[in-house]
Every structure is written in C-alpha cells, then in structure tokens.
Amino acid sequence: MRNIFARQPASSDYPKTDSGSGQLKDYGYDLIPLKKGAVIQLAGSQPHSEVLAGLVSNDTVQAFVAGRTPEEERTDAPMPVRFFVDSRMTPVVGFVPRGLEPVVLEALVRLEKAGRSTRIPATVVSTKNGLRVNLLMGATR
C-alpha cells in the first residue's frame, strides 16, 4: 500500500540541490511575513551562476519579479526573477519555487499599495552547491 501522505519533492523541474526553499509557515494568513528574517531561496539558479558571480560582492541587490499574465496563470508558468543593477536589468537569475508564488505576488501588491518600490531586496549567497539567490521577504513587511 502506498503512503499518500509521504513527503513529495517540491518540484521535479530542478535538481534537488537547486530546487529552492522557503516555507509558508513563515507567513501569516494574509501572506505577510511573520518575522523579518523570512527568506525564499530561488530555484533554478545554477545555470545562471555566471551572472550571479559578478553580484556576490554586492551586499543587497534589488530583485524584479514581473506579475503573471492571465496566460501564464492558466499554464502555471514559473515566475522568473531578475536583478536591477546599475539601473539595468540582468538576465533571469532564478525562479520562485512552486507553491510560494502567492507570497511573492502579495508582497508586490503590498509594496505598490504602500507607495514603495516593487523590487524585493535580495542577496547572492555561496552554498556548498554553488551560488544561490535569497529573496529577503521579511524586508517587505
């Protein structure tokens, strides 16, 4: 008999070491981060390590996440993330992990309503599996 409650991988689109991370329990019912230390690590950053290598020295960068079009919503397309560096946009540096898209979209709406920049603070971190991008979601509170 198969255990239907067994933990399933978050996404088979990316290797296990590059599937991103984050937890919904770090956010309240209204999807506002419960603590300032809430982060989301992007998925699919490994192929973009060349772009990320030039950004490791920057302390905090601004991540740009475009809202989804109705067509992207229908097909459940991944949400690409780019950086704004020196007033220019970089190529894609990763994707929001599956299941955490509503948290990011709500943060963008919340920032826009507050009259703040809709760019999410992020850092490039070095892990044992390479360079990864952490969205600092707690800074959007």
Side-chain angles (χ1 to χ4, degrees), residues 29-40:
Y29 178 74
D30 51 3
L31 300 180
I32 294 176
L34 295 174
K35 56 185 178 180
K36 288 190 178 203
V39 297
I40 293 176

Side-chain angles (χ1 to χ4, degrees), residues 7-47:
R7 185 174 175 93
Q8 298 294 320
S11 174
S12 60
D13 297 341
Y14 306 104
K16 184 179 177 183
T17 58
D18 195 21
S19 62
S21 64
Q23 298 180 344
L24 281 176
K25 71 178 187 177
D26 292 340
Y27 304 90
Y29 178 74
D30 51 3
L31 300 180
I32 294 176
L34 295 174
K35 56 185 178 180
K36 288 190 178 203
V39 297
I40 293 176
Q41 189 172 78
L42 297 182
S45 293
Q46 190 164 359

